[in-house]
Amino acid sequence: MKLLVTGGAGYVGGVVAAQLLDAGHEVVVLDDLSTGHADAVPEGARLVRGTLREAAFGVLDGAGFDAVLHFAARSLVGESVEKPGLYWDKNLGESLALLDAMRRAGVNRIVFSSTAATYGEPESTPILETDPTRPTNPYGASKLAIDTALAEYARLHGLGGVSLRYFNVAGALLEGGRVQGERHTVETHLIPNVLKVALGEREKVMVFGEDYPTPDGTCVRDYIHVVDLGVAHQLALEACEPGVHQIFNLGNGNGFSVREVIEVCREVTGHAIPAEPHPRRSGDPAVLVASSDKIRSALGWKPERDLRAMVADAWAFAQRAR
Ligand code: UDP
């Protein structure tokens, strides 16, 4: 297939673009490089630099694309609270420009990176796709609005859309000569920050909150390996059906606390990794764990890599990327 990958210069988009290339697809990456890196675009893909508003129509029109995988987004919860307008503009506004360009070019299949942040504070665990969506920050709200737009475009314009709601993505791609991993300029995620301590780039890891109603008092999250996530995208692409919008959660279905993650990082790196308690980070729910039963039964997806594999691959990538 000929595929447009928006945000293919970022972490998840870059890994999935590499997997799609290795599966034999033709890949064009559209990225404005506002948070991505040109050298994260996998070898074999063509990079078009520009925003979705500026470039999507020029890239798609008459070029014979079969589908779009849409990763391009702003994704920092804290930044979204400070600059909600930026998130509505970059996430929703540019996604609408992309959908418009797709319609005009006659491309009617899309796989979209949605998020667990669309659910907000869950009423029960594990979270099902049918659970209420009450995002607690503009990042989650903007992603939910895109899910809603996809549903309407499916119903009214015959679009075939799949929204994949990611829980906590981790790990790296280190297969077939590829080296693709997480390299954010502003790093807020737990695993890469813990590994920075093992690399000697930071002295201690900050543990945000030890008084949550969880077994060890720290937040519990559902971590998924980026390679397993990529496999789900390939299945989702095949499952796009004109006129239908489908939503699937993507997680392992197991929760790990911040302390448990740090302990696995200690075991994998052999480093003591000092940890220091800090106040809660605002907006962090105590427990976020996915039910991925729907994608398992509907698309036959199954996560193959556990937390230790995620940390080991993230560690191998972090050492190589130094
Ligand atoms: N966290 C932490 N120290 C850090 C980064 C994150 O204690 O340096 C905690 C954070 O408060 C949350 C969990 O680790 O409870 C996962 O955070 P992350 O930012 O990786 O993902 P999120 O669940 O926010 O999408």
Side-chain angles (χ1 to χ4, degrees):
M1 282 195 257
K2 183 168 179 179
L3 304 170
L4 180 67
V5 176
T6 76
Y11 166 44
V12 177
V15 168
V16 179
Q19 290 174 302
L20 293 167
L21 286 161
D22 291 346
H25 299 292
E26 181 182 347
V27 173
V28 175
V29 166
L30 175 55
D31 200 301
D32 64 6
L33 302 184
S34 57
T35 55
H37 310 270
D39 62 3
V41 175
E43 206 181 314
R46 182 164 72 87
L47 169 65
V48 177
R49 184 175 177 173
T51 66
L52 305 183
R53 262 196 205 100
E54 289 158 3
F57 184 64
V59 175
L60 285 167
D61 194 36
F65 278 93
D66 296 293
V68 173
L69 292 103
H70 179 28
F71 300 93
R74 292 291 179 134
S75 61
L76 299 176
V77 168
E79 183 186 53
S80 82
V81 175
E82 280 162 28
K83 301 176 189 167
L86 177 71
Y87 276 68
W88 285 105
D89 180 50
K90 293 293 288 182
N91 291 356
L92 179 61
E94 295 211 9
S95 295
L96 294 177
L98 173 68
L99 289 177
D100 191 30
M102 287 174 65
R103 273 195 75 208
R104 287 194 285 163
V107 180
N108 74 344
R109 281 196 277 179
I110 185 167
V111 179
F112 170 59
S113 302
S114 187
T115 168
T118 53
Y119 295 108
E121 186 83 46
E123 275 170 13
S124 56
T125 290
I127 298 172
L128 296 165
E129 290 83 351
T130 47
D131 282 355
T133 42
R134 288 189 288 245
T136 52
N137 53 63
Y139 166 65
S142 67
K143 288 278 185 171
L144 179 61
I146 301 163
D147 284 344
T148 308
L150 291 175
E152 304 246 289
Y153 277 61
R155 192 166 57 89
L156 302 168
H157 297 311
L159 183 77
V162 176
S163 293
L164 297 175
R165 290 192 171 154
Y166 309 167
F167 282 63
N168 290 59
V169 188
L173 175 69
L174 303 153
E175 287 168 15
R178 304 272 187 194
V179 180
Q180 300 270 148
E182 197 164 5
R183 206 152 41 95
H184 295 116
T185 312
V186 181
E187 189 53 78
T188 60
H189 293 128
L190 179 63
I191 293 174
N193 276 329
V194 178
L195 296 179
K196 280 183 196 291
V197 181
L199 283 172
E201 293 175 10
R202 289 197 186 167
E203 264 180 39
K204 292 171 190 160
V205 56
M206 299 193 279
V207 177
F208 297 134
E210 293 189 307
D211 56 351
Y212 284 96
T214 59
D216 68 12
T218 66
C219 287
V220 170
R221 294 288 180 275
D222 183 341
Y223 295 86
I224 169 169
H225 197 295
V226 68
V227 170
D228 286 331
L229 189 91
V231 171
H233 283 75
Q234 296 182 51
L235 295 170
L237 192 57
E238 288 160 23
C240 282
E241 208 181 305
V244 180
H245 176 236
Q246 307 174 73
I247 296 175
F248 298 108
N249 288 341
L250 273 184
N252 268 300
N254 299 315
F256 290 92
S257 75
V258 172
R259 289 218 165 273
E260 287 172 322
V261 170
I262 296 171
E263 198 47 49
V264 173
C265 293
R266 288 182 180 129
E267 288 163 19
V268 167
T269 63
H271 190 286
I273 310 183
E276 190 172 67
H278 279 257
R280 290 181 177 198
R281 197 171 67 174
S282 89
D284 273 343
V287 180
L288 282 179
V289 176
S291 162
S292 294
D293 289 354
K294 186 177 170 194
I295 190 165
R296 284 173 188 252
S297 62
L299 305 188
W301 176 79
K302 181 157 100 337
E304 307 274 2
R305 294 157 186 84
D306 63 8
L307 181 63
R308 179 173 288 270
M310 292 176 223
V311 171
D313 290 348
W315 177 232
F317 175 78
Q319 288 174 295
R320 291 172 76 151
R322 288 182 97 175

